[in-house]
């Protein structure tokens, strides 16, 4: 039998890769990763983004997701990468996509990709855990006991059954912080209730299996009997390369941003020397219906 091939011309090639940072805020923290995928692909269609598509009988838009936060967790630093078939202005595209997504799923920044692998840059995350009903003293005692332990074995149900792993090895730093005025009503925590609310700042390496904030909370219960009266409100503040000298997480889009600045500077210098190139191909911005 002859080998079947898709009808019609092949899809247009990818001419530009763009990297996006987006957020999950407020009630939208309860959206699953699949929910976000559907919402984002609808936003791409509404904004008429000239997407590049995969080949085959069921073409899909070229979207690569990296390090998605768990359902129920808010985030200020989620990342994905798209491939487009026509050059787009990143700033203009950010405005179009942000206006096409529901409030709470916000596109914060888009930069042009300049080499490297985005998922490989996401080495660690910074998490903030708001523990309603827990005092700062209780939280500090538990954090000290957790960091002093060599291993903290916790269990989590996986698709293959109950799994036991060490939650301590992936934790780079664990501190109690003092919220400022901007933290009122932190992701579902009622700051006006009058009850104590300790804020834990957690830096965790991305490992296999992944250590999540709820795994660390399980570890705190094991080593220090820390029990939270209500579920913790969890927010990912950052994810990116890990600076081991300072135990901090840096911006994964910084290399792309720097490369774009150098490229624009070089283009400006070339135009100063030779004048505008009349035959140059213009940048096409995605239109909004």
């Amino acid at each position: 039998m002859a080998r079947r091939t898709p009808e019609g011309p092949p899809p247009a090639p990818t001419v530009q890769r763009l990297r996006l940072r987006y957020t999950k805020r407020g009630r939208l923290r309860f959206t699953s990763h699949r929910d976000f995928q559907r919402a984002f692909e609808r936003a791409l269609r509404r904004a008429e983004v000239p997407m590049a598509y995969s080949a085959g009988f069921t073409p899909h838009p070229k979207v690569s997701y990296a390090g998605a936060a768990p359902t129920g967790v808010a985030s200020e630093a989620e990342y994905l990468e798209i491939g487009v078939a026509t050059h787009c202005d990143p700033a203009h595209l950010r405005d179009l996509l942000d206006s096409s997504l529901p409030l709470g799923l916000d596109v914060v920044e888009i930069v042009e990709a300049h080499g490297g692998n985005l998922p490989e840059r996401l080495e660690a995350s910074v998490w903030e855990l708001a523990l309603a009903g827990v005092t700062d003293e209780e939280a500090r005692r538990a954090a000290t006991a957790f960091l002093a332990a060599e291993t903290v074995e916790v269990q989590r149900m996986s698709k293959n059954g109950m799994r036991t792993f060490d939650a301590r090895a992936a934790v780079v730093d664990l501190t109690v912080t003092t919220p400022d005025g901007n933290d009122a009503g932190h992701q579902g925590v009622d700051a006006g209730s009058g009850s104590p609310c300790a804020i834990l700042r957690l830096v965790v390496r991305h490992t296999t299996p992944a250590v999540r904030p709820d795994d660390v909370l399980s570890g705190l219960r094991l080593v220090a009997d820390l029990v939270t009266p209500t579920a913790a409100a969890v927010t990912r503040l950052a994810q990116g390369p890990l600076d081991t000298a300072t135990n901090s997480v840096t911006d994964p889009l910084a290399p792309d941003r720097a490369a774009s600045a150098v490229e624009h500077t070089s283009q400006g210098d070339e135009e100063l020397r030779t004048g505008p190139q009349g035959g140059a191909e213009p940048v096409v911005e995605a239109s909004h219906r």
Side-chain angles (χ1 to χ4, degrees):
M1 294 180 62
R3 184 177 178 180
R4 293 181 60 206
T5 58
E7 297 179 358
T14 301
V15 300
Q16 185 184 34
R17 291 184 301 123
L18 299 163
R19 290 170 177 168
L20 291 73
R21 179 166 75 93
Y22 66 95
T23 69
K24 286 173 56 180
R25 295 169 174 159
R27 293 184 178 182
L28 272 298
R29 69 187 186 277
F30 295 109
T31 57
S32 68
H33 183 53
R34 184 166 293 181
D35 291 334
F36 174 78
Q37 286 179 310
R38 287 194 289 263
F40 184 69
E41 291 191 12
R42 284 196 296 268
L44 290 172
R45 291 193 292 271
R46 288 194 193 103
E48 298 181 351
V49 180
M51 293 297 297
Y53 283 81
S54 61
F57 289 98
T58 55
H60 297 285
K62 291 190 175 181
V63 184
S64 300
Y65 301 90
T71 304
V73 171
S75 179
E76 293 295 313
E78 299 297 287
Y79 294 93
L80 61 84
E81 182 175 298
I82 65 174
V84 292
T86 303
H87 279 277
C88 298
D89 174 60
H92 181 65
L93 184 58
R94 190 213 72 84
D95 293 339
L96 290 177
L97 284 175
D98 188 53
S99 63
S100 300
L101 284 167
L103 187 64
L105 298 178
D106 304 317
V107 179
V108 178
E109 182 181 15
I110 299 181
V111 300
E112 186 171 3
H114 287 271
N117 185 292
L118 180 59
E120 289 179 357
R121 295 181 189 174
L122 305 182
E123 298 174 340
S125 287
V126 181
W127 301 94
E128 189 171 273
L129 289 67
L131 310 180
V134 176
T135 65
D136 286 356
E137 182 180 352
E138 291 172 323
R140 287 193 181 92
R141 177 179 56 83
T144 299
F146 184 93
L147 293 174
E150 291 187 4
T151 60
V152 180
E153 298 288 334
V154 300
Q155 291 185 323
R156 186 207 302 154
M157 181 62 70
S158 69
K159 62 182 180 180
N160 297 320
M162 191 65 72
R163 185 169 190 174
T164 301
F165 57 95
D166 179 19
R168 173 64 186 89
V171 175
V172 177
D173 196 23
L174 177 60
T175 58
V176 178
T177 66
T178 302
D180 56 31
N182 296 325
D183 291 321
H186 172 92
Q187 298 296 343
V189 175
D190 183 6
S193 65
S195 63
C197 181
I199 306 294
L200 287 179
R201 187 68 56 85
L202 176 66
V203 180
V204 183
R205 287 189 183 90
H206 295 174
T207 58
T208 303
V211 173
R212 302 172 180 171
D214 56 331
D215 298 322
V216 176
L217 288 174
S218 297
L220 292 172
R221 284 194 293 270
L222 287 173
V223 301
D225 295 324
L226 181 69
V227 178
T228 58
T230 59
V234 182
T235 303
R236 172 148 56 192
L237 301 180
Q239 63 172 324
L242 176 63
D243 185 344
T244 55
T246 61
N247 288 341
S248 61
V249 174
T250 59
D251 184 358
L253 301 184
D256 302 303
R257 207 178 294 113
S260 291
V262 170
E263 184 178 89
H264 292 159
T265 300
S266 300
Q267 290 175 351
D269 291 343
E270 181 65 21
E271 286 195 0
L272 286 174
R273 288 194 301 268
T274 64
Q277 301 298 313
E281 182 180 352
V283 174
V284 177
E285 295 182 351
S287 62
H288 187 223
R289 181 172 298 172

